[in-house]
Amino acid sequence: VELEALLISQRSGLGAPEKERPLRLSFLGDVREKFIAQKKTFLEVNLEKMRIRFYKEGVLENEFPILAKGDPQNWGGSACGINEVILKQRISYSNTAHVYMPYALNYYGMYFIHGEPYFPWGPKLVSRYSGGCLRLRDGFARELFAIAKRGMTVLVIDKEREDHVYKHEKEIDYF
């Protein structure tokens, strides 16, 4: 309920009865700023900037580079939105890729933040994209794994808001 209330920033459509006004949702970057103002402890995953930031009580404590993310053109990318650490596993196994994922933090469905995956016979999986998980170098994944707590909020931002203002130049009559 708290997260739903946070997403609904305001109702617009002055003059219309409240139940008929459309909902306006905050951008995820706005949610980040609200979390900081509330002095919340959380992980911010920024897929555009390829980084994970750890905030403790609203203060940036650490930052970790993302090595790979899901390919939005093929797999649908990585899960975005407001989630939480559901499960922590020192080593998890992917039935999809048939690899072990060290320092795995499950944050949504089958999506994890984890270290460099490796095959059961030893070699690491090397690829530009993941199947949707967020891959970190093992050292960073180990450090993040030690910090993260079960139930910690994970805010995943796919794209920051653009500053560009679109202006309507002239009326176009299509009919």
Side-chain angles (χ1 to χ4, degrees), residues 106-120:
N106 179 217
Y107 72 95
Y108 176 80
M110 294 174 49
Y111 294 90
F112 289 79
I113 299 169
H114 59 77
E116 299 166 83
Y118 59 93
F119 294 99

PDB file of all heavy atoms in Angstrom, residues 106-120:
ATOM      1  N   ASN A 106      17.511 -12.534  -5.541  1.00  0.00           N
ATOM      2  CA  ASN A 106      16.280 -12.620  -6.325  1.00  0.00           C
ATOM      3  C   ASN A 106      15.423 -11.413  -5.981  1.00  0.00           C
ATOM      4  O   ASN A 106      15.080 -11.203  -4.823  1.00  0.00           O
ATOM      5  CB  ASN A 106      15.574 -13.928  -5.981  1.00  0.00           C
ATOM      6  CG  ASN A 106      14.268 -14.136  -6.713  1.00  0.00           C
ATOM      7  OD1 ASN A 106      13.333 -14.662  -6.144  1.00  0.00           O
ATOM      8  ND2 ASN A 106      14.193 -13.741  -7.957  1.00  0.00           N
ATOM      9  N   TYR A 107      15.094 -10.594  -6.999  1.00  0.00           N
ATOM     10  CA  TYR A 107      14.328  -9.377  -6.719  1.00  0.00           C
ATOM     11  C   TYR A 107      12.960  -9.342  -7.386  1.00  0.00           C
ATOM     12  O   TYR A 107      12.129  -8.490  -7.047  1.00  0.00           O
ATOM     13  CB  TYR A 107      15.130  -8.116  -7.064  1.00  0.00           C
ATOM     14  CG  TYR A 107      15.308  -7.849  -8.545  1.00  0.00           C
ATOM     15  CD1 TYR A 107      14.441  -6.992  -9.223  1.00  0.00           C
ATOM     16  CD2 TYR A 107      16.350  -8.423  -9.259  1.00  0.00           C
ATOM     17  CE1 TYR A 107      14.600  -6.730 -10.571  1.00  0.00           C
ATOM     18  CE2 TYR A 107      16.519  -8.162 -10.596  1.00  0.00           C
ATOM     19  CZ  TYR A 107      15.645  -7.324 -11.257  1.00  0.00           C
ATOM     20  OH  TYR A 107      15.815  -7.079 -12.594  1.00  0.00           O
ATOM     21  N   TYR A 108      12.683 -10.251  -8.326  1.00  0.00           N
ATOM     22  CA  TYR A 108      11.372 -10.289  -8.968  1.00  0.00           C
ATOM     23  C   TYR A 108      11.272 -11.553  -9.816  1.00  0.00           C
ATOM     24  O   TYR A 108      12.125 -11.778 -10.680  1.00  0.00           O
ATOM     25  CB  TYR A 108      11.175  -9.056  -9.857  1.00  0.00           C
ATOM     26  CG  TYR A 108       9.874  -9.066 -10.635  1.00  0.00           C
ATOM     27  CD1 TYR A 108       8.682  -8.691 -10.029  1.00  0.00           C
ATOM     28  CD2 TYR A 108       9.836  -9.467 -11.960  1.00  0.00           C
ATOM     29  CE1 TYR A 108       7.485  -8.707 -10.733  1.00  0.00           C
ATOM     30  CE2 TYR A 108       8.652  -9.487 -12.672  1.00  0.00           C
ATOM     31  CZ  TYR A 108       7.477  -9.109 -12.054  1.00  0.00           C
ATOM     32  OH  TYR A 108       6.298  -9.134 -12.743  1.00  0.00           O
ATOM     33  N   GLY A 109      10.251 -12.358  -9.585  1.00  0.00           N
ATOM     34  CA  GLY A 109      10.048 -13.553 -10.404  1.00  0.00           C
ATOM     35  C   GLY A 109      11.317 -14.359 -10.562  1.00  0.00           C
ATOM     36  O   GLY A 109      11.914 -14.789  -9.580  1.00  0.00           O
ATOM     37  N   MET A 110      11.750 -14.533 -11.804  1.00  0.00           N
ATOM     38  CA  MET A 110      12.979 -15.279 -12.088  1.00  0.00           C
ATOM     39  C   MET A 110      14.164 -14.345 -12.339  1.00  0.00           C
ATOM     40  O   MET A 110      15.165 -14.749 -12.932  1.00  0.00           O
ATOM     41  CB  MET A 110      12.765 -16.195 -13.296  1.00  0.00           C
ATOM     42  CG  MET A 110      11.755 -17.299 -13.013  1.00  0.00           C
ATOM     43  SD  MET A 110      11.316 -18.319 -14.432  1.00  0.00           S
ATOM     44  CE  MET A 110      12.895 -18.775 -15.123  1.00  0.00           C
ATOM     45  N   TYR A 111      14.067 -13.093 -11.911  1.00  0.00           N
ATOM     46  CA  TYR A 111      15.122 -12.107 -12.122  1.00  0.00           C
ATOM     47  C   TYR A 111      16.011 -11.984 -10.883  1.00  0.00           C
ATOM     48  O   TYR A 111      15.508 -11.864  -9.766  1.00  0.00           O
ATOM     49  CB  TYR A 111      14.525 -10.734 -12.467  1.00  0.00           C
ATOM     50  CG  TYR A 111      13.796 -10.728 -13.790  1.00  0.00           C
ATOM     51  CD1 TYR A 111      12.444 -11.017 -13.859  1.00  0.00           C
ATOM     52  CD2 TYR A 111      14.477 -10.446 -14.971  1.00  0.00           C
ATOM     53  CE1 TYR A 111      11.774 -11.013 -15.073  1.00  0.00           C
ATOM     54  CE2 TYR A 111      13.821 -10.439 -16.187  1.00  0.00           C
ATOM     55  CZ  TYR A 111      12.470 -10.731 -16.235  1.00  0.00           C
ATOM     56  OH  TYR A 111      11.816 -10.730 -17.438  1.00  0.00           O
ATOM     57  N   PHE A 112      17.321 -11.993 -11.131  1.00  0.00           N
ATOM     58  CA  PHE A 112      18.312 -11.942 -10.065  1.00  0.00           C
ATOM     59  C   PHE A 112      19.343 -10.856 -10.360  1.00  0.00           C
ATOM     60  O   PHE A 112      19.577 -10.502 -11.510  1.00  0.00           O
ATOM     61  CB  PHE A 112      19.073 -13.269  -9.959  1.00  0.00           C
ATOM     62  CG  PHE A 112      18.280 -14.415  -9.419  1.00  0.00           C
ATOM     63  CD1 PHE A 112      17.389 -15.113 -10.219  1.00  0.00           C
ATOM     64  CD2 PHE A 112      18.446 -14.815  -8.099  1.00  0.00           C
ATOM     65  CE1 PHE A 112      16.673 -16.186  -9.721  1.00  0.00           C
ATOM     66  CE2 PHE A 112      17.736 -15.883  -7.586  1.00  0.00           C
ATOM     67  CZ  PHE A 112      16.839 -16.570  -8.399  1.00  0.00           C
ATOM     68  N   ILE A 113      19.984 -10.395  -9.299  1.00  0.00           N
ATOM     69  CA  ILE A 113      21.235  -9.647  -9.390  1.00  0.00           C
ATOM     70  C   ILE A 113      22.275 -10.656  -8.914  1.00  0.00           C
ATOM     71  O   ILE A 113      22.110 -11.250  -7.837  1.00  0.00           O
ATOM     72  CB  ILE A 113      21.228  -8.417  -8.464  1.00  0.00           C
ATOM     73  CG1 ILE A 113      20.102  -7.450  -8.849  1.00  0.00           C
ATOM     74  CG2 ILE A 113      22.591  -7.714  -8.509  1.00  0.00           C
ATOM     75  CD1 ILE A 113      19.850  -6.349  -7.827  1.00  0.00           C
ATOM     76  N   HIS A 114      23.323 -10.893  -9.687  1.00  0.00           N
ATOM     77  CA  HIS A 114      24.279 -11.946  -9.313  1.00  0.00           C
ATOM     78  C   HIS A 114      25.658 -11.688  -9.907  1.00  0.00           C
ATOM     79  O   HIS A 114      25.847 -10.805 -10.738  1.00  0.00           O
ATOM     80  CB  HIS A 114      23.766 -13.327  -9.735  1.00  0.00           C
ATOM     81  CG  HIS A 114      23.503 -13.468 -11.210  1.00  0.00           C
ATOM     82  ND1 HIS A 114      24.510 -13.638 -12.133  1.00  0.00           N
ATOM     83  CD2 HIS A 114      22.344 -13.463 -11.911  1.00  0.00           C
ATOM     84  CE1 HIS A 114      23.987 -13.740 -13.338  1.00  0.00           C
ATOM     85  NE2 HIS A 114      22.661 -13.631 -13.238  1.00  0.00           N
ATOM     86  N   GLY A 115      26.600 -12.519  -9.491  1.00  0.00           N
ATOM     87  CA  GLY A 115      27.962 -12.463 -10.013  1.00  0.00           C
ATOM     88  C   GLY A 115      28.054 -13.130 -11.380  1.00  0.00           C
ATOM     89  O   GLY A 115      27.037 -13.459 -12.005  1.00  0.00           O
ATOM     90  N   GLU A 116      29.278 -13.357 -11.819  1.00  0.00           N
ATOM     91  CA  GLU A 116      29.518 -13.931 -13.141  1.00  0.00           C
ATOM     92  C   GLU A 116      29.115 -15.402 -13.164  1.00  0.00           C
ATOM     93  O   GLU A 116      29.674 -16.214 -12.428  1.00  0.00           O
ATOM     94  CB  GLU A 116      30.986 -13.775 -13.503  1.00  0.00           C
ATOM     95  CG  GLU A 116      31.415 -12.307 -13.567  1.00  0.00           C
ATOM     96  CD  GLU A 116      32.909 -12.138 -13.581  1.00  0.00           C
ATOM     97  OE1 GLU A 116      33.506 -12.241 -14.673  1.00  0.00           O
ATOM     98  OE2 GLU A 116      33.482 -11.927 -12.492  1.00  0.00           O
ATOM     99  N   PRO A 117      28.135 -15.757 -14.017  1.00  0.00           N
ATOM    100  CA  PRO A 117      27.661 -17.140 -14.044  1.00  0.00           C
ATOM    101  C   PRO A 117      28.717 -18.070 -14.642  1.00  0.00           C
ATOM    102  O   PRO A 117      29.521 -17.658 -15.486  1.00  0.00           O
ATOM    103  CB  PRO A 117      26.418 -17.074 -14.923  1.00  0.00           C
ATOM    104  CG  PRO A 117      26.586 -15.846 -15.760  1.00  0.00           C
ATOM    105  CD  PRO A 117      27.426 -14.903 -14.959  1.00  0.00           C
ATOM    106  N   TYR A 118      28.678 -19.314 -14.177  1.00  0.00           N
ATOM    107  CA  TYR A 118      29.633 -20.293 -14.696  1.00  0.00           C
ATOM    108  C   TYR A 118      28.955 -21.647 -14.873  1.00  0.00           C
ATOM    109  O   TYR A 118      27.984 -21.979 -14.200  1.00  0.00           O
ATOM    110  CB  TYR A 118      30.862 -20.407 -13.791  1.00  0.00           C
ATOM    111  CG  TYR A 118      30.563 -20.815 -12.376  1.00  0.00           C
ATOM    112  CD1 TYR A 118      30.597 -22.154 -11.989  1.00  0.00           C
ATOM    113  CD2 TYR A 118      30.243 -19.863 -11.406  1.00  0.00           C
ATOM    114  CE1 TYR A 118      30.319 -22.532 -10.681  1.00  0.00           C
ATOM    115  CE2 TYR A 118      29.961 -20.231 -10.104  1.00  0.00           C
ATOM    116  CZ  TYR A 118      29.999 -21.566  -9.760  1.00  0.00           C
ATOM    117  OH  TYR A 118      29.715 -21.935  -8.459  1.00  0.00           O
ATOM    118  N   PHE A 119      29.474 -22.405 -15.817  1.00  0.00           N
ATOM    119  CA  PHE A 119      28.930 -23.725 -16.128  1.00  0.00           C
ATOM    120  C   PHE A 119      29.358 -24.735 -15.070  1.00  0.00           C
ATOM    121  O   PHE A 119      30.408 -24.559 -14.431  1.00  0.00           O
ATOM    122  CB  PHE A 119      29.403 -24.171 -17.519  1.00  0.00           C
ATOM    123  CG  PHE A 119      28.849 -23.323 -18.630  1.00  0.00           C
ATOM    124  CD1 PHE A 119      29.622 -22.317 -19.191  1.00  0.00           C
ATOM    125  CD2 PHE A 119      27.555 -23.514 -19.098  1.00  0.00           C
ATOM    126  CE1 PHE A 119      29.109 -21.518 -20.214  1.00  0.00           C
ATOM    127  CE2 PHE A 119      27.040 -22.723 -20.121  1.00  0.00           C
ATOM    128  CZ  PHE A 119      27.822 -21.720 -20.673  1.00  0.00           C
ATOM    129  N   PRO A 120      28.598 -25.812 -14.891  1.00  0.00           N
ATOM    130  CA  PRO A 120      28.952 -26.828 -13.892  1.00  0.00           C
ATOM    131  C   PRO A 120      30.352 -27.415 -14.099  1.00  0.00           C
ATOM    132  O   PRO A 120      31.004 -27.820 -13.150  1.00  0.00           O
ATOM    133  CB  PRO A 120      27.876 -27.901 -14.071  1.00  0.00           C
ATOM    134  CG  PRO A 120      26.699 -27.167 -14.609  1.00  0.00           C
ATOM    135  CD  PRO A 120      27.285 -26.072 -15.480  1.00  0.00           C
TER     136      PRO A 120
END
